[in-house]
Amino acid sequence: QVQLVESGGGLVQPGGSLRLSCTASATIFSIRAMGWYRQAPGKQREFVATIERARTTTNYADSVKGRFTISRDNAKNTVYLQMNNLKPEDTAVYYCNSVPPLPGWGQGTQVTVSS
């Protein structure tokens, strides 16, 4: 069964920063690319960023390019999302999963950007 535990969300003012973390099952983490996804109220879940297992290739949604950085620590089965210059439109529940995503999402972590 997929095990994904996200953390690090919170309330931040526009222009602020947050760092999200996600610990995944070793069986998933060891063989798959990982990604961050988000779901804003009333909207579908969307892709945010991905990183290959070898950490050599990353990919970002156009809306977060230049502001967000995805990274991973394979020894800790953990993927991170450093979010800088946050905007109100970044407000959402953030999830991690493999790429492509497997059934069974974690609880997510809420990010709220508001003054």
Side-chain angles (χ1 to χ4, degrees):
Q1 184 175 352
V2 172
Q3 292 187 337
L4 300 158
V5 180
E6 301 92 348
S7 63
L11 172 63
V12 63
Q13 292 186 343
S17 298
L18 284 173
R19 189 192 193 207
L20 307 184
S21 299
C22 171
T23 301
S25 305
T27 52
I28 299 169
F29 208 84
S30 65
I31 62 175
R32 300 181 74 100
M34 295 295 296
W36 282 96
Y37 306 80
R38 67 186 181 186
Q39 187 167 19
K43 295 186 177 181
Q44 298 232 353
R45 188 175 287 148
E46 64 178 4
F47 146 78
V48 175
T50 64
I51 185 168
E52 296 295 324
R53 192 203 177 285
R55 295 168 290 181
T56 55
T57 303
T58 58
N59 191 27
Y60 298 92
D62 288 343
S63 59
V64 307
K65 279 181 182 176
R67 301 187 297 122
F68 290 12
T69 302
I70 188 171
S71 60
R72 64 190 288 167
D73 185 335
N74 290 340
K76 296 181 178 179
N77 297 333
T78 300
V79 59
Y80 305 96
L81 187 68
Q82 177 66 44
M83 307 187 296
N84 298 328
N85 191 21
L86 282 159
K87 302 176 181 181
E89 51 264 42
D90 295 318
T91 295
V93 179
Y94 284 71
Y95 302 87
C96 74
N97 207 322
S98 64
V99 179
L102 293 170
W105 294 80
Q107 82 289 349
T109 186
Q110 175 71 49
V111 171
T112 303
V113 184
S114 175
S115 55

